[in-house]
């Protein structure tokens, strides 16, 4: 396949690769994404998922939030797949400067990546809203009803909910990494969640690669598009 051959060459030639990914990176580890046919948005709940995982809903109806969150958004016990692993190998080899992820599952770190910028936070960090004591994801998973701290405060997962803003330092580091990279690979994201999707405009080069099963609104701006599963592509990359 011509496109894959080109991508292999670009990977070989690059010294500052940045990978920007979304939920599709972890589907091959068994964690469902949001917008595929079998994703979270096509299942039926009392409220749309965007409503339940919004800041105002969390504040008004924390018990319902935690029920949904524990069942649908707390991916524990999953393992990294070939995409996570290869990215970690590129970092170790000194040819990848950052993984920017919209995922909250911690699988890049589990695969051995250190330079991970988590735009939407992580389920692995949870803090009491009153005294700021930290708690594990297992603590949240095993709690009943509203997850509470020893002090009685609510324990809030360190994930960015709808209506909340992104961490400005993570955002700045992501912009810097994208502006400096020589190959930007974007994969497993519908590129519909903002401001994350808008980061692509900071790439000044001519090696923007999109790997996604479905089409995205940015396909026509990319230098190379592969409508493939990430695992199939990454297992063939150097
Ligand atoms: P999305 O669900 O909107 O889009 C996922 C995209 O990945 C789809 O376009 C789909 O075609 C593609 N895809 C799925 N599996 C793939 C594969 N194996 N290979 C190639 N492409 C594949 O996801 P998004 O754009 O990341 O936005 C959803 C939001 O939900 C994100 O902000 C993310 O934080 C959150 N989320 C995270 C997780 C997680 O942490 N694993 C899971 C679900 C949702």
């Amino acid at each position: 396949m011509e496109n894959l051959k080109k991508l292999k060459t670009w990977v070989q030639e690059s010294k500052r690769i940045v990978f920007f990914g979304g939920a599709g990176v972890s589907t091959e580890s068994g964690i469902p994404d949001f917008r595929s046919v079998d994703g979270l948005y096509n299942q039926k709940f009392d409220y749309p998922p965007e409503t339940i995982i919004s800041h105002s809903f969390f504040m008004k109806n924390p018990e319902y939030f935690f029920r949904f969150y524990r069942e649908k958004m707390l991916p524990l016990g999953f393992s990294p797949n070939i995409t996570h692993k290869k990215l970690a190998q590129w970092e170790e080899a000194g040819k990848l400067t950052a993984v920017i992820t919209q995922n909250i599952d911690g699988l890049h770190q589990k695969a051995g990546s250190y330079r991970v910028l988590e735009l939407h936070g992580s389920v692995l960090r949870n803090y009491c809203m009153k005294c700021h004591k930290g708690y594990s994801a297992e603590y949240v998973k095993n709690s009943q009803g509203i997850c509470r701290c020893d002090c009685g405060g609510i324990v809030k997962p360190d994930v960015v909910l709808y209506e909340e803003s992104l961490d400005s330092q993570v955002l700045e580091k992501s912009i810097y990494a994208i502006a400096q990279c020589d190959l930007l690979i974007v994969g497993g994201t519908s590129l519909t969640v903002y401001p994350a999707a808008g980061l692509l405009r900071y790439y000044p080069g001519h090696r923007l690669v999109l790997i996604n099963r479905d089409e995205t609104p940015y396909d026509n701006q990319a230098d190379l598009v592969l409508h493939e599963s990430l695992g199939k592509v990454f297992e063939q990359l150097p």
Side-chain angles (χ1 to χ4, degrees):
M1 199 170 96
E2 210 44 48
N3 280 354
L4 184 62
K5 223 167 114 189
K6 201 180 220 180
L7 177 57
K8 279 184 190 166
T9 311
W10 286 2
V11 168
Q12 267 154 357
E13 289 173 357
S14 300
K15 295 187 176 73
R16 294 184 311 280
I17 301 172
V18 167
F19 180 85
F20 173 58
V25 174
S26 294
T27 53
E28 285 165 299
S29 291
I31 304 173
D33 62 11
F34 274 6
R35 290 174 186 80
S36 293
V37 280
D38 53 350
L40 196 52
Y41 282 12
N42 291 311
Q43 300 173 24
K44 290 277 167 278
F45 301 102
D46 298 344
Y47 309 89
E50 290 99 328
T51 303
I52 306 171
I53 50 178
S54 69
H55 183 81
S56 48
F57 191 93
F58 173 79
M59 299 307 284
K60 263 190 285 191
N61 207 342
E63 192 157 2
Y64 194 103
F65 170 90
F66 274 110
R67 203 159 11 108
F68 178 88
Y69 178 80
R70 278 190 204 98
E71 197 184 318
K72 301 290 174 193
M73 293 186 61
L74 206 41
L76 300 182
F78 292 91
S79 302
N81 60 52
I82 178 73
T83 306
H84 300 104
K85 288 178 192 164
K86 186 128 305 169
L87 292 167
Q89 284 165 18
W90 290 351
E91 179 185 324
E92 204 186 352
K95 57 194 284 116
L96 177 139
T97 52
V99 170
I100 303 168
T101 183
Q102 298 169 81
N103 292 348
I104 53 177
D105 56 30
L107 285 187
H108 286 293
Q109 290 91 333
K110 215 169 174 181
S113 288
Y114 291 95
R115 293 164 167 256
V116 184
L117 296 164
E118 296 174 311
L119 289 171
H120 295 159
S122 172
V123 299
L124 303 182
R125 299 184 294 267
N126 304 276
Y127 300 103
C128 170
M129 293 172 79
K130 218 156 130 192
C131 73
H132 307 293
K133 184 174 172 187
Y135 285 91
S136 69
E138 286 77 13
Y139 179 86
V140 179
K141 186 99 183 168
N142 295 329
S143 62
Q144 305 281 321
I146 301 169
C147 183
R148 291 204 179 267
C149 172
D150 302 337
C151 80
I154 297 178
V155 175
K156 186 174 183 293
D158 188 17
V159 301
V160 180
L161 302 176
Y162 283 96
E163 304 161 357
E164 292 179 345
S165 43
L166 271 52
D167 182 308
S168 57
Q169 275 196 11
V170 175
L171 204 51
E172 273 169 35
K173 283 182 186 168
S174 303
I175 292 170
Y176 183 81
I178 288 177
Q180 304 292 322
C181 73
D182 54 6
L183 171 62
L184 178 59
I185 305 177
V186 180
T189 169
S190 60
L191 291 171
T192 52
V193 178
Y194 282 83
L199 285 173
L200 263 61
R201 71 174 185 277
Y202 293 100
Y203 177 60
H206 300 286
R207 290 186 172 188
L208 169 60
V209 182
L210 290 191
I211 310 169
N212 208 58
R213 281 208 291 240
D214 298 310
E215 286 180 11
T216 79
Y218 286 82
D219 281 11
N220 58 2
Q221 293 177 39
D223 301 293
L224 203 60
V225 179
L226 289 95
H227 287 143
E228 291 276 0
S229 93
L230 278 159
K232 235 176 112 184
V233 175
F234 267 76
E235 70 187 7
Q236 296 180 70
L237 293 180

